[in-house]
Amino acid sequence: MNPVARSEGVDPAVLQGQLFDLWSRKELEVLRLQAVSGFSQLLDPLVGLLTMLENCPGIQKGKSSTLGQFILTEFVRWRRSHPQVTLKELTDEEKQRLQLSALSLIIASQPGYMDPLLDIYELGTLETSHLLEHVTYLQSIGGYREAALLSMKVELQKELDMEQVSKPMKKTIITVLLPVLHNIFPPSSSFSLFFFIRLQICVPLILLDKLPLAESYVRDHPELQKRLVRLLDSWCIPDFNLEELRRQYPLLSLSKHQTDQIQPKLLSRHVFRLMEKFSVDPSLCVNSVHKRKQDSLKFLMYKRFREKSMTEENWRDHVQVTVEGNVELQVLLVDLLVHYSELQVAAQWAKHYNVPRDRLRTGVWDTMQSLSSKQLEVNESSCPLEPWDTTQSHKLQYYQLSLARENIHFLQTLDQLQLCRETVLKPGCVVGVDMEWRAGFGTVSTQRVALIQLAVEGQVFLLDLCAHSLSHHSLTVQFIRTLLTDKNVLKLGYGTSGDFRSLVATWPELKEEPLAVKGMLDLLHVHQQLQRCWRGGSRSRSVEVSEGSPEKGLSLLVQQVLGKPLDKTEQLSNWERRPLRTGQLRYAAADAYCLLDVYLTLSKDPKAFGLPEDLCSISSSQPAKSDQEKKFKDKKKQSTSPRQARQSSHGPAGDNQECVKGNGERQATTVAPHELRVVCDNMLQGLGRFLRCLGVDVLILENTDDHKVAAELARTEGRIILTSGQPYQSLRSQVAEGRCLTLDCSEKARDQAVHVLKHFHVHLTPSDIFSRCQACNNNEYLKVSREDMTEMLNKRGLLQDNSDLHNTQVPEGWRSPDAQTFNPHCRWASRSVLDPETFRFRGGAEIQLETVPPGLLPRIPEYFICTGCGKVFWEGTHYDRVLSQFQEVLHLSDGEVSSQP
């Protein structure tokens, strides 16, 4: 088999010319037949394919795909029925020649070539030196995304490890590629050549706001993961020079949004997220950790001296943990104390940490000299005996625990645990469950649980997980697993997802064998339902307490149901410090026991609170809103905060919906495509068009729109944000929880669409396809007969003579009349909405009659016109193609199954 001989068969160049002519005239059905016939007549199909692709034009204005993509797609289909067309019969030299030619076609100007060519020409078997050289070439011409994708698909990350590369390969890379690399990238002494090459692929991706693609690139490569995190951390210094970095990539053009993403605050968030995701040691990321601790110090100062919501003992505990062993943070602590407190306090801490004189603010050193040694001592908490009963003023302001101290059991041994087990595992028992952990100021990973509170009627058990003999024993883990999975014991919690995350961080075995939680009622969902019922009523949603801010969370629920809020002063305690103070014990017990009191009060008369008889039937789903609530929402629309939006999402897909089975377990419910309302960021325009094609209500940002526009649309129109990359971190903070979804930018738009449908449990049927206009998102069509369309074309002078009606060209989108009937779920407009003279709809859109080929009229009996933009549609092969693409998520009735082509 000679890869260059063409003495017989169809000339590939001639075939390509014929296909281009048909492509230009949009005769797709004839084009497809001609392509399939031509492939079979090629003397050497693999050589011929490359010849045709080399002569194909790139992306053309006004076309969403290219001739080359079409040829490749049809060749892949044709090859399935011709499995003998492979590289097996070629010599090594012939095989390599073809592979190098195919590799040269993988460039940024020809999207869609990579996957088919990798498969057809088995490019993964090509020598690594050739692949690496092409990756470097792609970078040199600005094809950064293609370079990363090619590297991942042929697994260059693994091959480039220095230990696994042969000596000849090392010599090739150093002699051939190093001079090229030095023209593109600056040398780096801290990276080996191979890690340098591999990680430099990630730098332009990060600058282009494609960090998820960089994360995919380092997946399954722990050393590269560490270096990626360290790279991001190195950019978190205050004097980081972005312009200097940009000069290293002259072909890289960054938008204002992309430039704004490269700043320490946003980058440090990614560093902490990736540290946890990749299990990277925080000590490797000194810049991000230092910045997080700086922010923590400022937060502690605000809580203690401005808000006055933190006790001195708690503040001192957290400050010492935060600044321990770091001179810069100790200096910052003294500076902040000068600003927030007084010179004497600043002098005490300066003396405590022996801060150098030249690092002190004006006046601190003089104050230190004027005070005695005793006055300069930082008062350590001595845990004085505190009475169990609170003061009269405290009783008037806050919810009170109605239990004596002897009914609060602090468990530190297995024998004590056994008493708790016998009590709480009784069938029919109701247990309030809460957990405490030390606030993670300046830390990375999810905090480990320090205390588990289990409240039953008349007593509270506090499980001390700081006691090694208790926390590390398998019986403790087994007890908690049994409790959480026992459907005969009703567990009460509030916002339990955070508790479970910390519990898994404490006991990794719970991750290896995940918990199947049963019999759990999250009062957060009850509270959300309560808020919705009260929102249109006369009751107050939030009441001010003393001089503090309005109550929220569990404290607000307790106030609304029981009349007084919780005292959250001890919430930010150091829960790992032993012994616990009386105030901490009282707070921990009250936090769990109040769940019982709230549940019992609501259960006595649920109708008085607007709740169903069975509180356990309330899930996280959002039921339809009453007219009264809609009026209230319209009234408050402009002032709704993200927190309020979280509790009143728009539409049935506002949050992941659940229904409750008979056994108390929750199961996701489905929504129709038209019920899902989203806004697509400008990086996901292809996804947006796909979703519109499937009937989803989609707004798509323009290229010039700022990402903030997505948040505005989400809040004002009740839409869910679909985004990718770094904007996700800032966008999700501007909308309610569950209202922002990030997609993998390395995936194709079709795969992204499938992910969205599955994530929101969308029930897709054939009638949803093309039920919405892909151009303008309108879902109202005017149905026009062939006769009416002919009349309109005649009036506009678009039919020259009767010969147009007999044109044999088959336009794009045509399909056989025998194919499945098009019957979309959409709104149908009457002819009264159309002006018969101007062919304009009431909204101002004019029918795009010039887009209807006259030769179409004899074949197509009906036309569908979008009343929003005037675009004309008809039944064609597009419908069948979409049916095929989304077969895995398509729901068909028996009739629809039997009629599938």
Side-chain angles (χ1 to χ4, degrees):
M1 189 175 185
N2 187 349
V4 295
R6 294 175 184 160
S7 57
E8 299 177 7
V10 174
D11 186 340
V14 174
L15 176 59
Q16 189 271 338
Q18 296 171 346
L19 297 180
F20 180 74
D21 184 51
L22 293 170
W23 171 263
S24 301
R25 298 204 305 266
K26 297 184 178 181
E27 301 180 26
L28 293 190
E29 289 299 323
V30 179
L31 173 62
R32 185 173 287 110
L33 294 173
Q34 182 68 35
V36 171
S37 173
F39 296 150
S40 300
Q41 297 178 49
L42 289 172
L43 178 63
D44 191 331
L46 294 180
V47 174
L49 175 63
L50 293 178
T51 302
M52 288 188 287
L53 293 178
E54 288 169 356
N55 296 323
C56 281
I59 300 176
Q60 295 175 284
K61 186 176 181 180
K63 292 184 178 292
S64 59
S65 60
T66 67
L67 174 61
Q69 291 172 334
F70 180 88
I71 291 175
L72 262 178
T73 301
E74 293 305 317
F75 188 87
V76 170
R77 292 176 181 171
W78 173 82
R79 190 163 168 260
R80 290 173 190 156
S81 59
H82 297 77
Q84 73 278 10
V85 180
T86 66
L87 301 176
K88 292 182 180 179
E89 302 299 324
L90 300 180
T91 65
D92 290 343
E93 183 180 351
E94 292 169 341
K95 178 180 177 181
Q96 179 175 303
R97 190 183 310 162
L98 280 181
Q99 288 177 323
L100 291 176
S101 297
L103 189 63
S104 66
L105 290 173
I106 300 178
I107 53 178
S109 61
Q110 294 288 8
Y113 278 20
M114 186 178 299
D115 287 336
L117 291 179
L118 283 169
D119 177 53
I120 295 171
Y121 295 96
E122 304 171 16
L123 298 186
T125 64
L126 196 58
E127 290 184 14
T128 304
S129 60
H130 296 300
L131 294 170
L132 182 57
E133 188 172 1
H134 193 68
V135 167
T136 306
Y137 167 73
L138 288 173
Q139 287 187 291
S140 69
I141 62 172
Y144 303 111
R145 179 176 179 273
E146 289 71 21
L149 289 173
L150 179 59
S151 299
M152 287 189 288
K153 292 180 183 296
V154 297
E155 299 182 356
L156 280 183
Q157 305 101 312
K158 180 179 178 181
E159 295 296 332
L160 281 174
D161 279 333
M162 181 66 92
E163 295 77 13
Q164 299 179 5
V165 179
S166 63
K167 289 183 178 180
M169 179 63 67
K170 294 178 188 177
K171 183 177 180 181
T172 301
I173 293 176
I174 292 173
T175 57
V176 176
L177 297 181
L178 190 56
V180 180
L181 287 169
H182 281 170
N183 289 330
I184 305 171
F185 312 118
S188 173
S189 58
S190 61
F191 288 80
S192 69
L193 170 63
F194 298 96
F195 282 129
F196 172 73
I197 295 171
R198 296 161 70 193
L199 200 53
Q200 281 292 344
I201 288 180
C202 297
V203 174
L205 297 178
I206 300 170
L207 294 176
L208 290 169
D209 198 19
K210 297 184 182 297
L211 182 57
L213 184 56
E215 293 176 37
S216 300
Y217 179 81
V218 301
R219 186 183 299 149
D220 302 324
H221 298 275
E223 186 61 31
L224 275 184
Q225 292 169 358
K226 290 180 184 178
R227 293 182 180 273
L228 174 61
V229 177
R230 289 178 63 187
L231 173 68
L232 291 171
D233 181 68
S234 69
W235 296 1
C236 292
I237 56 177
D239 57 348
F240 172 69
N241 192 332
L242 176 59
E243 290 305 314
E244 183 178 339
L245 181 63
R246 291 181 63 175
R247 283 196 292 271
Q248 301 171 18
Y249 301 91
L251 298 179
L252 205 60
S253 177
L254 302 183
S255 66
K256 182 180 183 300
H257 167 76
Q258 290 167 335
T259 303
D260 290 343
Q261 302 308 303
I262 310 300
Q263 47 116 336
K265 183 176 181 180
L266 293 178
L267 290 173
S268 64
R269 292 180 186 174
H270 291 302
V271 170
F272 278 93
R273 176 178 60 83
L274 295 178
M275 270 196 281
E276 184 167 2
K277 178 179 179 179
F278 296 145
S279 300
V280 175
D281 186 353
S283 64
L284 298 176
C285 305
V286 292
N287 298 318
S288 298
V289 171
H290 183 77
K291 186 180 186 308
R292 177 67 60 89
K293 289 188 175 183
Q294 283 181 327
D295 295 339
S296 299
L297 266 183
K298 295 174 183 177
F299 173 75
L300 289 169
M301 292 293 172
Y302 176 81
K303 297 291 285 185
R304 172 69 184 137
F305 297 105
R306 290 289 186 268
E307 196 176 87
K308 301 184 185 301
S309 60
M310 181 179 285
T311 65
E312 183 178 354
E313 293 85 357
N314 291 336
W315 177 83
R316 185 188 301 111
D317 284 345
H318 290 308
V319 162
Q320 290 177 330
V321 171
T322 303
V323 306
E324 183 180 4
N326 192 310
V327 176
E328 296 301 321
L329 291 175
Q330 293 164 2
V331 172
L332 177 62
L333 169 62
V334 176
D335 289 346
L336 291 173
L337 284 171
V338 171
H339 175 73
Y340 280 94
S341 186
E342 54 188 29
L343 284 175
Q344 181 172 342
V345 178
Q348 289 173 341
W349 286 93
K351 175 64 176 176
H352 182 75
Y353 286 117
N354 294 318
V355 177
R357 179 179 179 178
D358 61 338
R359 303 295 304 276
L360 294 176
R361 286 277 191 95
T362 304
V364 177
W365 177 259
D366 294 338
T367 304
M368 292 173 63
Q369 298 303 306
S370 65
L371 297 175
S372 65
S373 299
K374 189 171 184 179
Q375 289 175 316
L376 285 173
E377 291 180 359
V378 173
N379 295 324
E380 298 289 345
S381 59
S382 56
C383 292
L385 292 177
E386 181 184 351
W388 181 255
D389 287 337
T390 58
T391 63
Q392 188 62 32
S393 62
H394 189 277
K395 292 177 180 178
L396 291 174
Q397 290 183 2
Y398 299 108
Y399 165 86
Q400 299 296 306
L401 180 66
S402 58
L403 297 178
R405 174 65 181 85
E406 55 266 23
N407 293 323
I408 311 301
H409 311 290
F410 194 72
L411 313 182
Q412 293 181 298
T413 67
L414 292 177
D415 292 337
Q416 295 171 329
L417 182 67
Q418 183 59 31
L419 172 64
C420 171
R421 182 187 180 94
E422 294 171 356
T423 304
V424 303
L425 291 182
K426 292 178 181 178
C429 187
V430 181
V431 184
V433 181
D434 193 29
M435 303 176 197
E436 305 294 345
W437 52 85
R438 183 174 63 83
F441 299 113
T443 59
V444 181
S445 58
T446 304
Q447 293 296 291
R448 296 188 176 188
V449 176
L451 194 71
I452 297 180
Q453 304 104 281
L454 303 176
V456 295
E457 187 177 2
Q459 53 188 331
V460 179
F461 297 94
L462 306 179
L463 280 64
D464 182 14
L465 295 195
C466 291
H468 190 276
S469 59
L470 188 69
S471 65
H472 288 74
H473 203 286
S474 59
L475 290 178
T476 307
V477 182
Q478 182 186 7
F479 163 58
I480 296 299
R481 182 186 290 275
T482 302
L483 172 64
L484 295 178
T485 57
D486 190 342
K487 63 181 180 181
N488 297 316
V489 177
L490 177 60
K491 281 80 62 179
L492 306 174
Y494 189 94
T496 55
S497 59
D499 292 338
F500 290 154
R501 280 196 300 271
S502 293
L503 198 61
V504 171
T506 306
W507 291 321
E509 51 264 49
L510 296 181
K511 185 176 183 180
E512 298 169 2
E513 187 180 346
L515 286 170
V517 179
K518 298 177 183 178
M520 171 67 75
L521 174 60
D522 192 336
L523 290 179
L524 171 61
H525 302 156
V526 177
H527 194 192
Q528 291 171 336
Q529 175 71 11
L530 189 69
Q531 296 288 81
R532 288 192 291 270
C533 295
W534 285 10
R535 200 166 270 136
S538 58
R539 296 197 183 189
S540 173
R541 178 178 181 274
S542 178
V543 180
E544 294 284 344
V545 178
S546 185
E547 299 177 356
S549 57
E551 296 303 309
K552 56 186 178 181
L554 177 58
S555 181
L556 175 62
L557 175 63
V558 172
Q559 180 179 18
Q560 291 174 327
V561 177
L562 304 178
K564 296 177 182 178
L566 294 172
D567 179 5
K568 307 296 285 187
T569 304
E570 298 289 351
Q571 184 179 30
L572 294 178
S573 296
N574 182 357
W575 291 100
E576 295 179 357
R577 184 168 183 170
R578 296 294 180 269
L580 292 177
R581 289 178 282 101
T582 300
Q584 289 178 293
L585 294 173
R586 186 170 51 236
Y587 169 86
D591 232 21
Y593 203 80
C594 71
L595 298 171
L596 296 178
D597 286 342
V598 168
Y599 175 74
L600 292 175
T601 301
L602 293 177
S603 298
K604 287 178 182 178
D605 191 6
K607 289 185 178 180
F609 294 92
L611 300 174
E613 290 289 342
D614 182 11
L615 296 181
C616 293
S617 67
I618 300 176
S619 72
S620 61
S621 60
Q622 308 290 329
K625 298 176 178 60
S626 64
D627 292 338
Q628 189 177 24
E629 183 182 354
K630 289 179 180 177
K631 291 179 182 178
F632 178 88
K633 181 176 178 179
D634 291 339
K635 182 178 179 181
K636 297 292 184 181
K637 189 173 183 180
Q638 298 302 323
S639 59
T640 301
S641 68
R643 183 176 185 85
Q644 291 169 324
R646 176 179 178 177
Q647 299 175 355
S648 60
S649 63
H650 308 251
D655 294 303
N656 287 342
Q657 296 187 354
E658 297 174 326
C659 63
V660 181
K661 296 181 181 179
N663 60 5
E665 296 180 10
R666 290 181 172 82
Q667 180 182 23
T669 58
T670 59
V671 297
H674 68 272
E675 295 176 309
L676 179 60
R677 307 179 71 233
V678 303
V679 52
C680 277
D681 208 344
N682 42 32
M683 297 179 294
L684 298 175
Q685 293 175 342
L687 167 64
R689 288 189 289 270
F690 255 119
L691 291 177
R692 280 181 181 173
C693 168
L694 303 177
V696 178
D697 186 350
V698 184
L699 294 185
I700 305 175
L701 265 59
E702 299 293 336
N703 290 329
T704 56
D705 287 336
D706 190 274
H707 294 288
K708 295 177 182 178
V709 176
E712 285 295 325
L713 290 171
R715 288 194 297 266
T716 58
E717 299 187 19
R719 295 180 180 273
I720 295 171
I721 300 175
L722 303 181
T723 185
S724 179
Q726 294 182 3
Y728 171 69
Q729 300 299 330
S730 59
L731 287 174
R732 72 170 182 174
S733 66
Q734 301 179 54
V735 293
E737 184 176 343
R739 308 289 296 178
C740 185
L741 177 67
T742 180
L743 283 304
D744 187 349
C745 64
S746 66
E747 287 186 340
K748 294 182 178 179
R750 178 264 176 198
D751 297 329
Q752 292 173 338
V754 170
H755 179 82
V756 171
L757 296 179
K758 290 181 177 179
H759 180 84
F760 292 109
H761 312 293
V762 178
H763 187 88
L764 180 68
T765 68
S767 297
D768 295 309
I769 295 174
F770 294 130
S771 61
R772 189 174 294 275
C773 177
Q774 286 180 275
C776 70
N777 198 44
N778 179 46
N779 68 337
E780 183 184 61
Y781 292 99
L782 174 64
K783 189 181 294 186
V784 174
S785 67
R786 174 174 26 218
E787 292 72 23
D788 289 339
M789 179 59 70
T790 302
E791 182 182 350
M792 286 190 288
L793 290 174
N794 264 322
K795 283 186 176 182
R796 278 292 172 86
L798 297 175
L799 288 181
Q800 301 301 323
D801 51 49
N802 289 337
S803 63
D804 284 337
L805 299 179
H806 303 286
N807 193 317
T808 57
Q809 294 183 5
V810 183
E812 179 181 6
W814 181 84
R815 69 194 195 112
S816 168
D818 296 330
Q820 186 170 322
T821 303
F822 181 55
N823 186 28
H825 285 313
C826 65
R827 294 182 296 124
W828 295 108
S830 65
R831 282 299 291 266
S832 61
V833 302
L834 180 68
D835 187 322
E837 300 300 326
T838 63
F839 302 131
R840 287 183 180 272
F841 293 103
R842 289 175 181 173
E846 183 178 349
I847 300 180
Q848 301 177 27
L849 293 171
E850 66 280 359
T851 64
V852 181
L856 194 68
L857 295 172
R859 297 169 177 78
I860 304 299
E862 284 186 322
Y863 300 84
F864 309 93
I865 307 173
C866 172
T867 61
C869 64
K871 191 175 178 66
V872 183
F873 300 90
W874 55 87
E875 290 190 57
T877 55
H878 294 327
Y879 183 67
D880 292 332
R881 191 155 54 246
V882 175
L883 281 177
S884 176
Q885 286 179 311
F886 292 93
Q887 198 71 35
E888 63 178 284
V889 290
L890 199 63
H891 295 268
L892 302 173
S893 65
D894 292 340
E896 290 169 331
V897 172
S898 62
S899 64
Q900 281 295 295

